[in-house]
Amino acid sequence: MSATDHSISAGGLPPARLLPGHAALRRVIAADIRPGLAISAIFLAVLVFAGIFPNILAPTDPLATDPSHIFAAPSLDHILGTDENGRDVFSRLVHATRSSLLLGLGAALLTTSVGSLLGLLAGLGPRWIDNIVMRISDILQSVPEILLILVIIAFWGASMSTLLFGLGFAGLSNCVRQVRAQSLVLRRAPFVEAALTLGLRRWHVVLRHVLPNAIKPVLVLLPLQIGIKISAVATLSFLGLGAPPPAPNWGGMLAIDRDYVLNAWWVAAAAAGVITLTVLSIATLGRDLIRRSEGRR
Amino acid sequence: MKHLKYLAWRLAAGAFVLWATATIIFVAINLTPGDPAITVLGSPEALPTPAVLALIRSEYGFNEPMHTQYFHYLLRLLHGNFGESYRLHAPVAHLIGQQIGASAKLILGAIPLALGVALVLAVSTAKRARWLTGWFDFIEVTLASIPDFILGLLLLLAFSFSLHLFPSSSTQGWTSIILPILTLALPIAARLSQVLRRELEEILEQPFIVTARTRGLSDSAVRLGHALRHALIPTLTIAGVLFAGLLSQAVVVETVFNRQGLGRLMSDSATNRDVPLVLGIALLATLVNVVVNIIIDLTYVIIDPRVEK
């Protein structure tokens, strides 16, 4: 529509001279990108870059200790100062990015995929499967998330796999419920009945027609999920239940002795700042996605 | 009669969840590969003496057939016997009893504060100027999405280390509980206020609100007397979920503020793999959750008489 308008007007008038950035700027305005959203996206892009190429951003070894520079204030050598072992805070933050993002992403994907599968089973399968799945989700929901993870850690010890497993379990019941509710509606939808009447195989209908529609609300919530998981990873690391000590992690950097906080605020401030910005950026992006999917402006 | 039947049904459903949780725990203990006595103790690194192992075996009856074990296990739980913490050398129920007061004070302080702040914020800012709601929305999203321990550290840094308004440790009088309560309450207030405002904004556009306004009611009378009641149901649903999770947050808050309490006990026990103690607290949290949900369901009937099944 707009393209034809353009060609008609361009035929009669001399071609307008646009600045190079003009078209891009117009597209940004048309896409309704708010400044907060742009900042969030840029920050997350930097974060992903730091996760993939930590050595380019921070060439200093995050594990190298320097006894003569314990708790050095931010300077040109150490732009965010050093911590209680004289390690470079900036470098530790950058090198901790990968594990934080991967754990958050992995746990969110685990929750979403297992939850969707169980939700589909409950919504489309026979009544008794529905009952079993829903009662399990009742039980999962009745134990607060962090406590559930602590139980799993108490049983099988703190390691990367138990952390991932525990984080994946937390929030599972919400996902199951959403997908189940969707698929209960969809199994009676005209297009699904039409597909079945046409003689398509059941699993084909489930995978091609029900699944894509049923998981839409869950997919829209995926960014928020990732944010929640990253925040949970940081919390567990803060409690001393994250990755083992020498490897840097965001939450662990805040678990330093509280007496240090007053004298060496940069250690805590830098880690708190990065975690806050990450979680906020993801929340901003996630909320925008929800807004768009609901057609609100 | 109808109410009683509903209540009975809810209680039965709650009892089922508790039974099922206990059963899953039983299965988990028995399915974990290796000696179940060692699983109960935490890990082989605990280096239990043969005497301790023998004690656990006889207490849990690991030599007996599975169904007898299961029956005895449920019976013990019914008697409030959650086993013994081998790390602290005391019965789990006793340890929980020692710590529950500190956590209860924290949680019972946070609930009314969170509700109050959310109500005031949402009722006073719903459907106001765009810039105003925009700012409050931003503050709420920030509060709701930053991890609790960061909020706690920030409050500690600002009000206790820099301004010296509140003590930083738990042993210095009643003022020491204010910052922990704030840390618990603010994120919950933020989440509730978001839900409540969204509901209120939808309701304030309904025809019956216009009717109330044309009757000459003041803006605050419309908001409090007519709109609020309708917005409360979805808010309470969320509140139930959030309140039931408060013990989870207490784990973090009690660590940040160096306080005693169930949360602290729970995270210490998880670190040291003190399985009986962790399971005892988790079962208690499940019980709290079940009770909170029943209370919330009963409140629906009071707020909206149409909700009757």
Side-chain angles (χ1 to χ4, degrees), chain A residues 273-295:
Chain A
V274 168
I275 297 172
T276 306
L277 279 178
T278 306
V279 177
L280 261 185
S281 302
I282 293 177
T284 311
L285 229 62
R287 278 162 49 95
D288 192 73
L289 192 64
I290 294 173
R291 194 168 59 96
R292 278 160 205 267
S293 79
E294 287 174 353

Side-chain angles (χ1 to χ4, degrees), chain A residues 139 146 154-155 258 261 279 287, chain B residues 20 137 145 157 248 256 273:
Chain A
I139 295 158
I146 295 275
F155 262 110
R258 294 191 317 159
V261 172
V279 177
R287 278 162 49 95
Chain B
D137 191 53
S145 49
L157 207 59
S248 231
V256 171
R273 306 193 57 183

Side-chain angles (χ1 to χ4, degrees), chain A residues 156-173:
Chain A
W156 292 289
S159 70
M160 254 356 200
S161 49
T162 42
L163 216 56
L164 190 66
F165 186 65
L167 286 165
F169 251 115
L172 189 66
S173 58

Side-chain angles (χ1 to χ4, degrees), chain B residues 47-233:
Chain B
L47 293 177
T49 59
V52 172
L53 279 178
L55 185 73
I56 297 170
R57 288 214 179 89
S58 71
E59 187 179 329
Y60 281 75
F62 286 130
N63 312 320
E64 294 167 52
M66 207 53 99
H67 59 271
T68 325
Q69 279 184 45
Y70 178 58
F71 181 68
H72 284 298
Y73 164 78
L74 287 185
L75 213 61
R76 275 204 315 274
L77 288 187
L78 273 181
H79 284 111
N81 178 359
F82 296 104
E84 184 127 348
S85 159
Y86 297 96
R87 183 172 61 98
L88 299 171
H89 305 288
V92 168
H94 177 71
L95 290 167
I96 290 179
Q98 270 182 345
Q99 301 292 333
I100 201 168
S103 294
K105 249 193 261 171
L106 212 60
I107 289 172
L108 293 180
I111 288 178
L113 183 66
L115 277 177
V117 171
L119 278 181
V120 170
L121 268 184
V123 170
S124 54
T125 59
K127 272 194 96 67
R128 301 283 192 213
R130 185 83 184 258
W131 64 269
L132 188 82
T133 45
W135 269 109
F136 275 101
D137 191 53
F138 176 72
I139 295 170
E140 285 162 6
V141 172
T142 311
L143 277 177
S145 49
I146 62 172
D148 294 334
F149 71 98
I150 290 188
L151 179 64
L153 284 175
L154 283 181
L155 289 175
L156 203 60
L157 207 59
F159 291 106
S160 136
F161 289 161
S162 303
L163 298 174
H164 300 289
L165 283 178
F166 298 107
S168 64
S169 119
S170 62
T171 48
Q172 295 160 282
W174 66 272
T175 47
S176 65
I177 205 174
I178 293 178
L179 288 182
I181 286 183
L182 272 178
T183 314
L184 270 185
L186 285 180
I188 292 187
R191 289 191 180 96
L192 286 181
S193 163
Q194 293 231 293
V195 179
L196 191 55
R197 180 175 322 105
R198 202 166 54 223
E199 292 296 323
L200 276 175
E201 287 186 339
E202 233 160 69
I203 286 157
L204 283 171
E205 280 177 359
Q206 301 282 319
F208 76 91
I209 294 292
V210 182
T211 313
R213 289 198 200 280
T214 50
R215 291 209 323 265
L217 287 179
S218 70
D219 185 48
S220 47
V222 168
R223 280 165 188 264
L224 288 171
H226 291 260
L228 184 59
R229 183 185 268 245
H230 294 264
L232 274 182
I233 292 251

Side-chain angles (χ1 to χ4, degrees), chain A residues 34 135-136 138-139 141-148 150-158 227 231-232 234-236 238-241 250-251 254 258-259 261-262 265 268 271-273 275-276 279-280 283-284 287 296-297, chain B residues 16-17 20-21 24-25 28-29 32 39 42 130 137-138 141-142 145-147 149-150 153 156-157 161-162 168-169 194 244-245 247-248 251-252 255-258 266-267 270-271 273 275 278-279 281-282 285-286 289-290:
Chain A
R34 298 168 183 188
R135 291 301 79 77
I136 292 177
D138 276 350
I139 295 158
Q141 197 164 41
S142 68
V143 186
E145 295 189 356
I146 295 275
L147 296 196
L148 185 66
L150 290 184
V151 169
I152 290 174
I153 287 175
F155 262 110
W156 292 289
S231 164
T235 302
L236 287 169
F238 172 75
L239 292 173
L241 296 165
W250 292 347
L254 280 161
R258 294 191 317 159
D259 299 336
V261 172
L262 196 57
W265 54 269
I275 297 172
T276 306
V279 177
L280 261 185
T284 311
R287 278 162 49 95
R296 277 191 284 140
R297 285 281 146 168
Chain B
F16 167 80
V17 167
T21 311
I24 288 178
I25 288 171
I29 289 178
T32 306
T39 307
R130 185 83 184 258
D137 191 53
F138 176 72
V141 172
T142 311
S145 49
I146 62 172
F149 71 98
I150 290 188
L153 284 175
L156 203 60
L157 207 59
F161 289 161
S162 303
S168 64
S169 119
Q194 293 231 293
L247 200 54
S248 231
V251 173
V252 176
T255 306
V256 171
F257 290 94
N258 216 351
M266 177 89 180
S267 71
T271 317
R273 306 193 57 183
V275 173
V278 168
L279 291 182
I281 301 175
T286 313
N289 192 301
V290 166

